[in-house]
Amino acid sequence: MPTTKTSKTEKKNKNETHEFRAEVSRLLDILVHSVYSEREVFLRELISNASDACEKLRYEALTDSELLKDDPELKITLRADKDAGTLTISDNGIGMSHDELADNLGTLARSGTRAFMENASDEAKDKNALIGQFGIGFYSAFMVAKEVEVVSTRAGSGEVWAWRSDGTGSFELARLKKGALARGTRITLHMRDEAKEFLDNEKLRRIVKTYSDHIPLPIELVEKSEDGKSEDVHVLNAARALWMRPKSEITDEDYKEFYGHICGLYDEPAKIIHYRAEGRHEYAVLLFIPKSRPFDLFDPDRKGRIRLYVRRVLITDEADMLPAYLRFVRGVVDSEDMPLTISREMLQNNPVAGAIKKAVTKRVLSELGKMADKKPDDYASLWEAFGAVIKEGIYEDYERRDALLELARFKTTTSDDKLRSLKDYVADMAENQSAIYFITGESAAAAAASPQLEGFKARGVEVLLLTDPVDSFWTSTVTGFDGKPFKSVTQGAADLDALPRKDAARDKDAKKDENTASKAKAATLAALLKQNLEGEVEDVRVSDRLVDSPVCLVAGAGGPDLGLEKILKQSKGEAPAARRILEINPDHKMIRALEDKTDKDKTLIKDAAHLLLDQARILEGELPEDPAGFVTRLNALILKGME
Ligand code: ADP
Ligand code: MG
């Protein structure tokens, strides 16, 4: 965790030196030395922070109007001084206190920065590509500056603090006299020799226009007149909320930059949803679906990340304006009719917020549906990234369950890695097939190799391969799709009798008699095995789901699917009470050989019973219950084989 040399409270009046966290120094090193081609993004980052600071102040001023009083017009000001070699970025926003300066500029605060570091640790990766993908925050200033000075005063406090660092490992904090800065933050960059080009006003204009046009406050450039005696001020950006502008006016580039500003991601979004709703409630919506998973997608908090505005005032950037299973959707909702005085806490019970949430959710799902129809390949990649999260909705959101089941895509035993919808599945069901079959497993490959699937494959029955932990939950609560129930291939009897086998060997009339006889023999063996496995399995029975393997385990009637049982076991740390069933394959050579020994060799049957159960366990990815016993029995058999 962060190390600071001095405790924050003790030494407030002396100059203090603090060390950056170790990773920060490394980040600075990477930034300064390997990504020069993208240097100009430092300005985007500092303007983005200044804009956030102004929006925070606007919010606090809703309850304390004194804060804005002396200087009500929020704005960002740039000033280049070629003689001094400095570029100054000022804002009259919320500002930072002593502790905030130390905490926010001394640690890896920003999510994007942390993700950047995680990725940057892989030396082989292209750092240039990385920097384009993540917002890198405040530290990017050191790409162009040999020294950075931040003077800041927290709105309403009156204290002014100066933070200074050369970016090589430590920073200093010093108190300035009252009034040294009226409000907000002034960042002075002492430019490196090789970055002096950023002191050129034309260049600054171009960079602001390219990256920060969408910032909803004026970004002003202060220029000295030719004779150096007076100053001109020019506003460089459109300074209008992007989501309020008509779509026809907005370029892809505008959207992309705005997406970067609010998500810290600088690749192309996978999907943009932009519209204005009028009617009972009036609001504007601009949402983005990213291309890849954010690192905190599976945080237990499952927090929404929508920025909620009320008439252009940012209320919170973590509003739950969508259900948790759509938490990967980012963007803005701006309401015209919620009260400005609404607090973050009050949001949950606000009926307007509730109504908007409902409508926006519906819209997002319908947009996903359209994408699935019109751009199935794009949708497939989106599903690969976020399907595991969307599926949480299948058991959480009863109202939209059917819509979500239609959106869901699956790998199956017959799809060759392509994703299939349930509609596809149902349309291609085998004759007499009455259920949608699935199997759960760690990976599609592992699931596809399960012995439980053999009988389904032999009959040409497609089986969904479910590999996300969430699959075990929704499949146990959902009744069905299109009137067809979901059924685990590891659960209950397989009901495969009604379906003809493709190889058809066992179904020929000629073999019927032989069949009944051999079934009786198999049943005898099953009963005997059951005696020997008393207390370890609920039952041993003859299987119609096995083709190549001698045995497999399935769930008992009413017991949980094997995948769910495993999850419950892990989370509770104990074996569940549910007993499983051992199924034997009456056509397997070994089982047939054992059938002939049933009344002769008691120890052989006893050992075989345990070995069969243990091998079925191993196929399920488990250990034999009694590893020592397993080894003893196995060795005895090997010896016998060699006699
Ligand atoms: P991020 O913006 O993603 O949080 P940054 O590295 O860009 O990450 O900034 C770190 C933090 O420093 C911000 O979250 C904010 O709290 C603080 N900060 C940076 N610049 C300013 C500013 N101009 N005014 C107020 N606070 C700021
Ligand atoms: Mg930032």
Side-chain angles (χ1 to χ4, degrees), residues 57 60-71 155-156 183:
L57 178 60
E60 288 200 3
L62 291 176
T63 45
D64 181 2
S65 57
E66 283 295 305
L67 293 178
L68 265 179
K69 215 168 146 202
D70 298 335
D71 184 10
R183 193 181 74 213

Side-chain angles (χ1 to χ4, degrees), residues 172-365:
E172 278 172 30
L173 267 175
R175 189 200 277 273
L176 302 189
K177 65 174 191 298
K178 267 198 162 118
L181 183 71
R183 193 181 74 213
T185 303
R186 183 176 68 225
I187 299 178
T188 306
L189 308 179
H190 297 268
M191 302 305 269
R192 296 172 187 277
D193 289 338
E194 66 277 19
K196 290 269 157 60
E197 63 195 90
F198 297 107
L199 297 175
D200 179 53
N201 286 336
E202 273 323 299
K203 178 133 193 159
L204 293 173
R205 271 173 212 278
R206 192 189 54 72
I207 299 174
V208 170
K209 204 70 198 154
T210 312
Y211 295 109
S212 309
D213 201 40
H214 57 80
I215 294 288
L217 351 144
I219 303 169
E220 296 180 348
L221 179 66
V222 179
E223 292 178 82
K224 274 198 184 125
S225 62
E226 300 259 314
D227 58 10
K229 282 187 187 139
S230 59
E231 282 184 336
D232 283 338
V233 178
H234 300 279
V235 176
L236 303 186
N237 61 331
R240 279 179 66 196
L242 187 73
W243 59 91
M244 299 305 291
R245 286 164 50 188
K247 269 168 129 169
S248 55
E249 269 183 22
I250 304 174
T251 65
D252 290 351
E253 234 5 76
D254 292 335
Y255 279 127
K256 197 180 147 190
E257 287 309 325
F258 183 69
Y259 167 68
H261 170 58
I262 61 167
C263 307
L265 295 167
Y266 289 92
D267 54 350
E268 300 268 337
K271 172 111 194 120
I272 300 170
I273 302 171
H274 184 190
Y275 67 98
R276 280 173 86 163
E278 271 149 19
R280 230 158 72 78
H281 301 293
E282 211 178 302
Y283 54 92
V285 176
L286 174 52
L287 300 176
F288 300 95
I289 300 179
K291 276 219 168 100
S292 49
R293 290 180 172 188
F295 72 99
D296 60 352
L297 188 63
F298 292 104
D299 254 18
D301 286 353
R302 308 198 304 150
K303 263 211 195 108
R305 291 286 206 75
I306 303 294
R307 288 189 169 213
L308 176 69
Y309 286 77
V310 173
R311 295 187 285 290
R312 262 62 68 211
V313 177
L314 178 64
I315 304 296
T316 169
D317 54 8
E318 290 193 339
D320 281 326
M321 297 308 289
L322 285 170
Y325 61 85
L326 294 176
R327 61 188 174 276
F328 55 88
V329 181
R330 307 285 299 268
V332 168
V333 172
D334 189 346
S335 159
E336 295 295 325
D337 32 37
M338 268 189 235
L340 256 178
T341 49
I342 193 162
S343 72
R344 287 159 211 178
E345 296 70 36
M346 282 154 62
L347 262 180
Q348 273 190 326
N349 304 315
N350 182 277
V352 183
I356 295 179
K357 176 173 177 175
K358 207 168 161 181
V360 177
T361 305
K362 194 172 157 203
R363 178 68 175 248
V364 170
L365 295 187

Side-chain angles (χ1 to χ4, degrees), residues 33-270:
H33 294 110
S34 49
V35 286
Y36 268 138
S37 65
E38 299 272 353
R39 283 186 309 181
E40 63 192 28
V41 302
F42 80 91
L43 194 57
R44 167 190 85 192
E45 296 296 334
L46 297 182
I47 288 175
S48 171
N49 288 348
S51 162
D52 289 347
C54 291
E55 299 207 303
K56 280 182 204 157
L57 178 60
R58 186 141 51 193
Y59 178 74
E60 288 200 3
L62 291 176
T63 45
D64 181 2
S65 57
E66 283 295 305
L67 293 178
L68 265 179
K69 215 168 146 202
D70 298 335
D71 184 10
E73 238 173 88
L74 294 165
K75 64 182 179 195
I76 300 165
T77 309
L78 309 181
R79 193 187 292 260
D81 185 334
K82 279 193 174 148
D83 301 332
T86 57
L87 175 64
T88 319
I89 297 107
S90 321
D91 66 74
N92 54 357
I94 192 81
M96 282 174 275
S97 65
H98 167 275
D99 289 3
E100 285 168 332
L101 279 167
D103 289 346
N104 298 341
L105 306 186
T107 54
L108 287 174
R110 184 196 181 112
S111 51
T113 316
R114 210 179 323 153
F116 176 83
M117 281 308 295
E118 273 159 20
N119 283 277
S121 60
D122 185 350
E123 293 299 328
K125 281 216 178 99
D126 178 1
K127 308 263 167 25
N128 270 319
L130 268 177
I131 210 167
Q133 236 178 48
F134 296 104
I136 40 165
F138 172 77
Y139 304 102
S140 60
F142 291 101
M143 291 196 292
V144 295
K146 51 183 186 277
E147 186 174 322
V148 177
E149 200 185 331
V150 181
V151 175
S152 197
T153 178
R154 183 74 168 74
S157 83
E159 275 183 27
V160 187
W161 285 90
W163 180 103
R164 174 192 291 272
S165 175
D166 65 0
T168 53
S170 64
F171 60 87
E172 278 172 30
L173 267 175
R175 189 200 277 273
L176 302 189
K177 65 174 191 298
K178 267 198 162 118
L181 183 71
R183 193 181 74 213
T185 303
R186 183 176 68 225
I187 299 178
T188 306
L189 308 179
H190 297 268
M191 302 305 269
R192 296 172 187 277
D193 289 338
E194 66 277 19
K196 290 269 157 60
E197 63 195 90
F198 297 107
L199 297 175
D200 179 53
N201 286 336
E202 273 323 299
K203 178 133 193 159
L204 293 173
R205 271 173 212 278
R206 192 189 54 72
I207 299 174
V208 170
K209 204 70 198 154
T210 312
Y211 295 109
S212 309
D213 201 40
H214 57 80
I215 294 288
L217 351 144
I219 303 169
E220 296 180 348
L221 179 66
V222 179
E223 292 178 82
K224 274 198 184 125
S225 62
E226 300 259 314
D227 58 10
K229 282 187 187 139
S230 59
E231 282 184 336
D232 283 338
V233 178
H234 300 279
V235 176
L236 303 186
N237 61 331
R240 279 179 66 196
L242 187 73
W243 59 91
M244 299 305 291
R245 286 164 50 188
K247 269 168 129 169
S248 55
E249 269 183 22
I250 304 174
T251 65
D252 290 351
E253 234 5 76
D254 292 335
Y255 279 127
K256 197 180 147 190
E257 287 309 325
F258 183 69
Y259 167 68
H261 170 58
I262 61 167
C263 307
L265 295 167
Y266 289 92
D267 54 350
E268 300 268 337

Side-chain angles (χ1 to χ4, degrees), residues 377 380 384 409-412 414-420:
D377 291 342
E384 293 276 4
R409 294 291 179 273
F410 303 94
K411 287 190 178 149
T412 77
T414 57
S415 72
D416 284 335
D417 263 15
K418 271 210 154 163
L419 293 176
R420 299 257 293 162

